[in-house]
């Protein structure tokens, strides 16, 4: 167990946020302070000001921050009583509001030079230690996140201990812009959004559909191999199901409103698949001997998200969960979770994701079920993580009200993390629906239910994949694996032979018979992100070979056709990430 | 081209309906006559009567019909003017209503004995020719199908030229009751309906889900082999899409009402996939060189059907269409339709359906598009049917308003027909959405769009499959292909070896390790409709063999394990219908 943010790093970034505030106060003394925490990779500070910051202000503020760093001011912690604190903050109305909510008799401040801030720390000991930072952007934020309160201006920055880390971060940021799946996806024909006809809905185009089929096939087949069964359930249900499941009391604001049919009948789109799997469970009697029961579904759910938060395929209104529910005895939780963790790692690493951040969330203040069951289940999750020898962080009290859970984030090649897999024990639904099974003593007992997803959402996972690979998918995921480029019309018959032979060998191959120059054809294929390109001219025709270009490597050699086909098949069959041709 | 109902057969059944009416008038003289046509397999007659027919009345009416047949009355055609006709029909208000709508100056009657009916024929020449009939049931029907008009009582009967045909029909009818998918499907764990939580929605249970996956895999893979691409689209769209597509003007009553979101935004469930494919088409420029474009989707659509017409998985509110749209040049219609017909036949015969009824529906009175385009497209459909050497029936004027179409019904083992495949040319949508492509002359042109489905609806097709096979699916479709029955606990280790070996060879195998007797285990496996059963005892263990039972055949022999596995794999790979082990 290791905290992901080292305290030193947090202190460094927290001090950077104070330097930012100090700089702003020096330049714009009328500005009032909001809050300024350290966050992942950096920091921000919220400011209350009548006029918006101008485009050039970032540079001015940065320059003054550098001065403050050069001044190498000592950062001191001061403590005082509430009366003194109110006196210090008399010109900072937002800070006074925070002060009024602190219950303690004495409060702490941090001071550097003329700047002082109500703050619990931690900080580094002097401003000179903050060397490698950059302000990124200004956005707006409501005071306390409440849309009825003041609108503040939030300045974001990043800060790292070394110049190399800052540089890498900024490079990755630039790279991330180039890889933006919202631009890249439509450009290479993977998907589109059609906001004019409904925001937040993803249209998978032929190329994206090809990759989706590959992902789905892999998902389904690996589930069957691991003893899951597939179920298929509707996208709507009568509102009475959502009443019974409790979704209308604790999840209503995320659901699309009901569809009102005549005769007081209303259907409502499903935001989750669970209640449907429950109905299947309940339609027959179950025995302990069947356990564990593992049911999986690629279930498309619909959740209402505000326009403002929608983002490409990453945050949408309709998405396909790779959902599964496991019904088991309490003593089977641990071994089931071990299996799921193993499955998660096998599955995600097949897509090239092998770095994870894992969180175990424990019992919150409001919860259902007995403390004893919570502790037993939490222990089972912990044991499973230990058995799989996985590092994880405990998020105390961050479990859902219905049970403890494990969340797993993947790290992409730009070191960004993405929430994907989740494993959640549920004490609520089995109780609400009165689920039961016949135990060894021939008595009815309540089963344990585990929700789990590996990708989380197919649409989201696809967006992450596009950015991770910058569209250059490994061979096994590429919509088109091989493109054949005849150098002239007279070579077309030979190119067609290769095309037919490749397709016969289940390779997704295409051919470019346009009148373009070879260089242009190569450029087109590379823009289409085809991993393997086979150029054929007279020489290749007479020797029954192909000249092979591979993404990022350029020309790699001339191979007999059979050999190239064999190599591609091998990359495909083994789901190899690197294209080592 | 051959009419499917022979005129003689129609005449025979029409006369049977008159004999029915004559019998009812003799027994219940106050009864007023509605209409009484010949239909597929038989006939019906609608009667207006205050009191409902009693349970025993069917027998009385049948007995009197037999008398009329024995009397062998001559059936005569009479013609008269409208005045005379009104005089004849003076006590038949419903008939008078029909008369008032006939524009002709002279009308025809058919008369047998004391019974006379306003009727255009045809009929056989005497009642004695109707020998093999049976009245089946009484239901209610609105006069002219209008729920604001009188409720009539409709008596249904069947009638055949020979006793053997009638007997076979009645046997099939009995058999059909036993095979009812609504009973069989849930009983063997294939699916359930959960009307309490929304009528007309299908829940695919693990076993049904297994078969669905097999069907879907076969469907998707065979589409890719035939040059289709897969797309995936949402289940909802903003109402503006349904306005633009025209569905809100010509299809509204079949659609679920809109989901009203704040800010005047409304989403609506899709009743069809077409507009979504159109949006994908429109998101890039297309050239004649890409044509034909073939996009396929297993798209789940939702249509509002009245409670009363819902029927198991055959008529539902949510179903998955195996939809595809082909965009092509006008001169490509014929070859595309040839390909689709070939595909349809390949696909359906893989499921054991090799008898079809094919209908070509031509231009209706109300239509969009030019007469010239209609004629060219209709001719293309006709040529395609001819090229595939298929018998078909022309339904003049029965095309949809947007284009001509081919419909194909399959015949199941009980000789019932089921509408499955459809191929429809569409002149409307390309126009409404302003679709275009760049032709060889580098000018914009309107593409042709063809809608097509093979199964029609996955849910419906599955229901038909269950009834066709009475749940005894061929090996390639069976959720469990092999069940291993050890005769005693001491044989379990050997049985487990076989189980593991079978599964390693991708056979869907299970094992029964319960304490039941061997006979009971066999009965259970047969009730579960497992096609192949392997019994293992000491003898089999020592010789590394299995004793094999096959559905309908019983014991077929003792085989080395490897041989049985090979046989099952072969049946699976070739999608063989017969289990010839």
């Amino acid at each position: 167990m290791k905290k992901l943010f080292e305290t030193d790093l947090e202190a460094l970034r927290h001090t950077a946020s104070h330097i930012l505030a100090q700089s702003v106060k020096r330049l714009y003394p009328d500005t009032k302070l909001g809050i300024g925490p350290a966050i992942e990779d950096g920091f921000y500070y919220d400011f209350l000001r009548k006029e918006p910051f101008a485009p050039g202000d970032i540079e001015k503020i940065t320059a003054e921050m550098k001065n403050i760093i050069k001044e190498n001011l000592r950062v001191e912690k001061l403590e005082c009583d509430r009366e003194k604190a109110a006196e210090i903050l008399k010109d900072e109305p937002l800070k006074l509001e925070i002060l009024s909510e602190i219950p303690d008799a004495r409060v702490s401040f941090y001071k550097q030079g003329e700047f002082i801030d109500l703050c619990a720390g931690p900080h580094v000991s002097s401003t000179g230690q903050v060397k490698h930072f950059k302000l990124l952007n200004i956005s707006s934020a409501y005071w306390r996140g409440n849309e009825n309160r003041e609108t503040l201006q939030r300045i974001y920055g990043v800060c790292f201990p070394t110049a190399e880390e800052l540089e890498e971060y900024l490079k990755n940021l630039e790279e991330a812009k180039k890889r933006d799946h919202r631009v890249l996806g439509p450009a290479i024909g993977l998907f589109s959004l059609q906001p004019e006809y409904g925001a937040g809905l993803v249209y998978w185009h032929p190329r994206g559909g090809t990759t989706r089929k590959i992902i789905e096939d892999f998902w389904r087949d690996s589930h069957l191999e691991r003893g899951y069964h597939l179920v298929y359930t509707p996208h709507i249900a009568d509102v009475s199901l959502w009443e019974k499941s409790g979704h209308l009391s604790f999840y209503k604001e995320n659901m699309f409103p009901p569809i009102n049919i005549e005769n007081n009948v209303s259907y409502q789109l499903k935001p989750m698949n669970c209640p449907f799997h429950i109905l299947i469970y309940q339609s027959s009697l179950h025995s302990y001997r069947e356990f564990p029961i593992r049911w999986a579904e690629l279930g498309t759910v619909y959740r209402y998200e505000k326009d403002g938060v929608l983002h490409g395929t990453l945050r949408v209104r309709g998405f396909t969960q790779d959902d599964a529910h496991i019904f088991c005895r309490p003593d089977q939780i641990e071994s089931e979770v071990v299996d799921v963790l193993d499955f998660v790692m096998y599955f995600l690493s097949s897509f090239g994701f092998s770095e994870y951040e894992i969180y175990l969330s424990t019992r919150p203040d409001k919860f259902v079920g007995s403390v004893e069951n919570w502790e037993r289940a939490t222990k089972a999750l912990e044991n499973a993580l230990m058995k799989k020898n996985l590092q994880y962080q405990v998020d105390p009290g961050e479990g859902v009200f219905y049970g403890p859970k494990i969340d797993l984030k993947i790290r992409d090649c730009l070191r960004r993390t993405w929430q994907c897999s989740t494993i959640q024990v549920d004490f609520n639904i089995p109780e609400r629906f009165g689920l039961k099974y016949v135990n060894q003593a021939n008595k009815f007992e309540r089963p344990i239910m585990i929700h789990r997803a590996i990708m989380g959402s197919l649409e989201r996972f696809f967006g992450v994949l596009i950015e991770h690979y910058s569209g250059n998918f490994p061979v096994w995921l590429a919509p088109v694996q091989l493109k054949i480029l005849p150098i002239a019309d007279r070579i077309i018959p030979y190119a067609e032979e290769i095309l037919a032979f490749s397709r016969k060998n289940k390779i997704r191959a295409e051919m470019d018979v346009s009148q373009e120059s070879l260089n242009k054809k190569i450029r087109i294929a590379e823009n289409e992100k085809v991993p393997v390109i086979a150029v054929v001219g007279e020489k290749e025709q007479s020797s029954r070979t192909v000249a092979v270009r591979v993404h990022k490597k350029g020309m790699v050699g001339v191979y007999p056709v059979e050999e190239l086909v064999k190599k591609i098949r091998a990359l495909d069959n083994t789901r190899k990430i690197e294209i080592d041709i």
Side-chain angles (χ1 to χ4, degrees), chain A residues 382-432:
Chain A
E382 221 159 0
N383 286 345
L385 286 163
M386 235 101 86
K387 275 210 177 135
K388 292 298 300 173
N389 214 3
L390 291 167
Q391 283 215 322
Y392 63 96
Q393 181 185 345
V394 177
D395 274 353
E398 289 299 310
V400 216
F401 75 90
Y402 52 72
K405 64 168 179 165
I406 293 172
D407 287 322
L408 185 143
K409 292 181 180 179
I410 52 176
R411 216 173 242 294
D412 74 7
C413 65
L414 301 182
R415 320 263 335 126
R416 297 172 299 179
T417 56
W418 305 95
Q419 166 68 44
C420 285
S421 316
T422 189
I423 309 170
Q424 312 186 347
V425 178
D426 190 333
F427 299 120
N428 181 45
I429 282 201
E431 200 64 39
R432 279 192 91 101

Side-chain angles (χ1 to χ4, degrees), chain A residues 375-527:
Chain A
E375 279 176 3
R376 196 160 49 167
T378 308
K379 190 75 202 145
L381 297 185
E382 221 159 0
N383 286 345
L385 286 163
M386 235 101 86
K387 275 210 177 135
K388 292 298 300 173
N389 214 3
L390 291 167
Q391 283 215 322
Y392 63 96
Q393 181 185 345
V394 177
D395 274 353
E398 289 299 310
V400 216
F401 75 90
Y402 52 72
K405 64 168 179 165
I406 293 172
D407 287 322
L408 185 143
K409 292 181 180 179
I410 52 176
R411 216 173 242 294
D412 74 7
C413 65
L414 301 182
R415 320 263 335 126
R416 297 172 299 179
T417 56
W418 305 95
Q419 166 68 44
C420 285
S421 316
T422 189
I423 309 170
Q424 312 186 347
V425 178
D426 190 333
F427 299 120
N428 181 45
I429 282 201
E431 200 64 39
R432 279 192 91 101
F433 281 85
L435 298 195
K436 54 194 178 186
Y437 71 98
V438 179
N439 69 13
Q440 252 169 308
N442 215 22
K443 296 233 162 67
F444 282 125
E445 213 167 301
R446 192 76 76 224
I448 291 288
M449 181 179 181
I450 301 172
H451 310 257
R452 58 110 276 214
I454 302 176
M455 295 180 278
S457 141
L458 207 47
E459 286 73 9
R460 195 156 172 284
F461 191 71
F462 191 53
V464 173
L465 270 183
I466 295 170
E467 300 208 355
H468 179 63
Y469 287 111
S470 196
N472 295 296
F473 292 135
V475 165
W476 80 279
L477 291 170
V480 179
Q481 299 173 313
L482 171 67
K483 194 152 179 191
I484 302 155
L485 312 183
I487 61 161
D489 282 0
R490 60 188 182 281
I491 312 291
I492 291 180
Y494 177 57
E496 273 172 346
E497 264 181 65
I498 302 173
L499 182 70
F501 181 72
S502 307
R503 286 185 173 168
K504 215 182 121 195
N505 283 279
K506 308 259 173 212
I507 288 173
R508 297 184 292 277
E510 283 185 3
M511 182 171 65
D512 184 344
V513 292
S514 68
Q515 299 305 312
E516 307 290 353
S517 70
L518 180 60
N519 278 339
K520 181 82 187 286
K521 285 184 183 181
I522 291 174
R523 217 156 49 240
I524 292 171
E526 283 180 343
N527 284 340

Side-chain angles (χ1 to χ4, degrees), chain A residues 351-362:
Chain A
F351 290 87
F353 299 113
S354 44
E355 280 187 60
Y356 316 110
E357 282 180 13
I358 303 177
Y359 301 84
L360 171 65
S361 303
T362 61

